[in-house]
Amino acid sequence: MDVRAYIEAHRDEFLSSLKEWLAIPSISADPAHHGDVRRSARWLADHLSATGFPTVELWETPGLPAVFAEWPAADPAAPTVLVYGHHDVQPVDPLEEWETRPFEPTERGTSLFARGASDDKGQVLFHALGVRAALAASGADAPPVTIKLLVEGEEESGSVHFAELLAANRDRLACDVAVISDTTMWAADTPSMCVGMRGVTDVEISLYGPDRDLHSGSFGGAVPNPLKAMSDLLSGMHDDDNRVAIPGFYDGVVEASEEERALIGRLPFDEQEWLATAASRAVWGEKGYSTLERIWLRPTAEINGMWGGHTGAGGKTIVPRSAHAKVSFRLVPGQEPLRIQECVRAFVEANTPDGLRVETEFGGGVRACASDLSSGALKAARAAMERAFGTQVLFTREGGSGPEADIADILGAPLVFVAVGLDEDRIHAPNEKVEVPLLLKGAESAAYLWEELASAGR
């Protein structure tokens, strides 16, 4: 029996298992559901054991557990592949907007509705089906590469203990490539691979002037106004080409290749449809780049909020004593969050007028990550997906951030993204769903992936 036939023959069994797992409300952000997150981890561990993985373990953290599994290749010299995913899910609020119960999986046509169906239980589970299909097709007792799975339980609440978990188990997690199955494709009829994710850091800026609010008739125009200084400071963060004007901000930026930009240009992107989705009436951004390039390939400075002085009803003619703003920065490969924070701090201090005191409070930072388009691992993953989908696979990136950069940094492994979610799956929103035919294509891609990676490693 070939891979595709095996997957089709075991479709109902796969869906039954997935529905059972989806019924567990493993909401990591809600302490009331922490017991369910543990139950979810145990369910997955039992399922992977039943699949045939000879090593399956629950890895405890100071918070919620991850699941680790390993299936060694028959050839000890074969490459080692780590698959990353997560088994926790987002909260379901607002519950009244769900058309079905979020933890009672419901099929409608080709769609399966449930919280976690796409993000990320469905995409984790297709790997178990894929490895069984690969073994059935080859008649082997072990996969052609050593497969390790690491499925965390805190991704939807910030992966607060994930870097520590990786560092503590670096030797057990050693691998030649890490496969990420927690992203999306462009469309069901336009399969694609994510080849990068932006990083992020943020800052709260506070400017302090007089010790109290002052009467604007008595003091206005004669003392520095913190809100005026803040508006000047924020407007100075971009130049006339909408490029970030903070000195040093672009130092070290790794520019996308012309090949990648060309492949992005081939995507069937409709800017007017995108604007409608954004509920915006115009596009804006750095000169010289398309909309998709701006949200995938370029770093940004985004003013998230600004406040100070009188904001209540009616007028209040004052010079306010303080002004505050929150700004976030999306980062691309080559930008280190701590270095960006240093650049921002220097810019803010240099642009604070005499007579005002400035404070900057930075949040954490997540590095950007990107796949090497010339690597054998990426070529193998693309070949596996093209075998499954029967068409060329294009490239995308994602504008958000996740724990993937920690995997690359701590394990020193290149990243490859193999995922079949869709933007319209409504992850994190009411009525989350996944397309069942795409999950089966994901399993088929995973089955071919082991063979392709084994060949690439020789």
Side-chain angles (χ1 to χ4, degrees):
M1 182 179 292
D2 66 14
V3 165
R4 188 168 296 172
Y6 181 94
I7 289 171
E8 186 56 37
H10 291 79
R11 174 190 184 280
D12 292 345
E13 177 187 340
F14 167 75
L15 284 179
S16 177
S17 295
L18 177 57
K19 290 176 182 178
E20 186 177 307
W21 194 21
L22 290 171
I24 301 174
S26 50
I27 305 170
S28 62
D30 185 351
H33 285 285
H34 284 184
D36 293 315
V37 179
R38 292 185 172 278
R39 189 156 58 95
S40 170
R42 171 50 59 192
W43 185 97
L44 177 59
D46 291 343
H47 184 81
L48 294 176
S49 293
T51 297
F53 280 84
T55 298
V56 181
E57 299 170 0
L58 290 186
W59 282 4
E60 292 293 343
T61 74
L64 296 166
V67 178
F68 172 78
E70 183 175 4
W71 198 329
D75 180 1
T80 297
V81 184
L82 174 71
V83 177
Y84 165 81
H86 62 92
H87 66 92
D88 63 321
V89 301
Q90 278 278 316
V92 298
D93 301 12
L95 185 60
E96 65 274 11
E97 293 187 12
W98 284 80
E99 296 175 4
T100 60
R101 293 183 180 274
F103 296 108
E104 293 182 7
T106 304
E107 286 186 73
R108 289 183 176 176
T110 62
S111 302
L112 175 62
F113 290 84
R115 173 60 88 225
S118 181
D119 183 25
D120 185 36
K121 290 179 177 178
Q123 301 205 71
V124 168
L125 209 64
F126 75 56
H127 283 284
L129 177 58
V131 71
R132 291 307 315 174
L135 293 177
S138 68
D141 295 325
V145 296
T146 292
I147 302 173
K148 299 178 180 180
L149 267 68
L150 180 61
V151 186
E152 72 161 314
E154 296 182 319
E155 195 272 348
E156 298 292 11
S157 51
S159 296
V160 289
H161 302 106
F162 188 61
E164 179 184 346
L165 183 72
L166 290 173
N169 295 279
R170 185 183 283 110
D171 292 343
R172 296 285 305 278
L173 295 170
C175 58
D176 298 296
V177 60
V179 174
I180 312 300
S181 293
D182 187 22
T183 53
T184 60
M185 301 194 311
W186 180 260
D189 59 356
T190 309
S192 64
M193 294 177 63
C194 176
V195 295
M197 303 179 78
R198 290 194 294 187
V200 67
T201 190
D202 64 277
V203 63
E204 181 172 320
I205 305 167
S206 297
L207 296 180
Y208 298 95
D211 292 339
R212 64 181 185 278
D213 292 346
L214 299 177
H215 190 292
S216 66
S218 301
F219 297 96
V223 297
N225 183 311
L227 273 171
K228 197 272 184 185
M230 181 67 80
S231 63
D232 290 344
L233 173 70
L234 296 178
S235 66
M237 285 189 175
H238 294 88
D239 65 16
D240 291 341
D241 290 331
N242 300 327
R243 181 178 169 90
V244 179
I246 298 171
F249 186 79
Y250 292 91
D251 290 355
V253 164
V254 178
E255 300 289 345
S257 68
E258 289 305 313
E259 176 194 6
E260 183 176 356
R261 293 185 72 180
L263 286 170
I264 288 173
R266 292 184 59 187
L267 292 165
F269 177 66
D270 186 315
E271 193 164 86
Q272 292 305 311
E273 287 184 5
W274 181 85
L275 278 172
T277 300
S280 176
R281 284 160 291 282
V283 296
W284 181 93
E286 186 179 357
K287 186 177 179 180
Y289 295 90
S290 70
T291 297
L292 287 180
E293 289 172 342
R294 288 168 180 164
I295 59 178
W296 288 347
L297 305 181
R298 303 304 295 163
T300 64
E302 210 64 56
I303 300 163
N304 309 134
M306 177 180 176
W307 68 98
H310 176 63
T311 59
K316 186 180 183 184
T317 52
I318 60 169
V319 176
R321 57 181 156 181
S322 65
H324 311 270
K326 292 180 182 288
V327 185
S328 61
F329 304 89
R330 292 290 173 175
L331 311 180
V332 299
Q335 290 181 303
E336 290 291 324
L338 290 178
R339 170 64 181 149
I340 295 301
Q341 291 176 10
E342 292 171 2
C343 294
V344 172
R345 183 182 291 109
F347 173 83
V348 169
E349 291 175 354
N351 288 275
T352 297
D354 291 341
L356 297 182
R357 178 174 59 87
V358 62
E359 291 182 359
T360 52
E361 182 178 348
F362 290 90
V366 175
R367 290 183 181 89
C369 61
S371 301
D372 178 358
L373 303 193
S374 65
S375 74
L378 185 136
K379 292 177 179 177
R382 191 181 187 191
M385 289 190 69
E386 288 180 344
R387 286 173 64 183
F389 284 89
T391 189
Q392 183 183 31
V393 170
L394 301 179
F395 291 158
T396 64
R397 291 201 190 193
E398 294 206 357
S401 308
E404 291 79 10
D406 286 332
I407 297 173
D409 291 344
I410 295 172
L411 301 184
L415 303 179
V416 170
F417 296 79
V418 177
V420 295
L422 299 174
D423 286 343
E424 56 262 37
D425 284 346
R426 297 189 285 272
I427 64 172
H428 293 203
N431 303 305
E432 179 181 350
K433 58 88 177 176
V434 72
E435 291 300 307
V436 173
L438 291 185
L439 285 184
L440 301 182
K441 287 296 183 186
E444 189 176 345
S445 300
Y448 299 144
L449 179 60
W450 318 131
E451 176 187 334
E452 296 286 350
L453 286 172
S455 298
R458 286 199 287 268

